[in-house]
């Protein structure tokens, strides 16, 4: 998956041989373990699943991210909406 556009914000996600993942335009790393990494970007979240996952680079100022391990899947999720935002639309 490369050059994905969500909500008009260009970012990219590249997976090489299911062993290395890189991404651009990342705002934050919201959670990580050896089996899952959760990233935020302006369009929502990216959830990476696998085994032996290890973050090797993250630059908040530059938005670059890199990790190694066995990548089993990647999915996009919308922006997190808190309870107050849902109640008072």
């Amino acid at each position: 998956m490369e050059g994905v556009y969500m909500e008009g914000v260009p970012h990219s996600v590249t997976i090489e041989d299911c062993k290395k993942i890189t991404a651009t335009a990342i705002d934050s790393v919201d959670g990580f373990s050896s089996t899952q990494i959760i990233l935020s970007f302006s369009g929502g979240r990216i959830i990476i699943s696998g085994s032996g996952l290890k973050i090797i680079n993250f630059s908040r100022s530059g938005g670059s991210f890199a990790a190694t391990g066995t990548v089993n899947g990647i999915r996009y999720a919308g922006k997190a909406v808190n309870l107050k935002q849902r109640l008072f639309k």
Side-chain angles (χ1 to χ4, degrees), residues 8-72:
V9 177
H11 71 279
S12 68
V13 176
T14 305
I15 302 171
E16 298 174 28
D17 296 324
C18 295
K19 298 287 183 192
K20 182 178 181 185
I21 187 165
T22 57
T24 62
I26 302 300
D27 296 329
S28 65
V29 177
D30 294 341
F32 64 92
S33 70
S34 63
T35 59
Q36 186 178 66
I37 300 173
I38 302 171
L39 307 172
S40 284
F41 71 108
S42 62
R45 290 183 170 186
I46 300 170
I47 301 163
I48 304 161
S49 59
S51 60
L53 298 175
K54 180 179 175 184
I55 297 171
I56 57 172
N57 179 44
F58 173 61
S59 170
R60 185 176 187 138
S61 61
S64 63
F65 170 85
T68 59
T70 301
V71 178
N72 294 331

Side-chain angles (χ1 to χ4, degrees), residues 74-88:
I74 182 171
R75 68 183 169 95
Y76 282 87
K79 289 183 180 182
V81 178
N82 67 33
L83 182 60
K84 191 184 287 186
Q85 288 175 319
R86 281 188 263 163
L87 291 174
F88 300 107

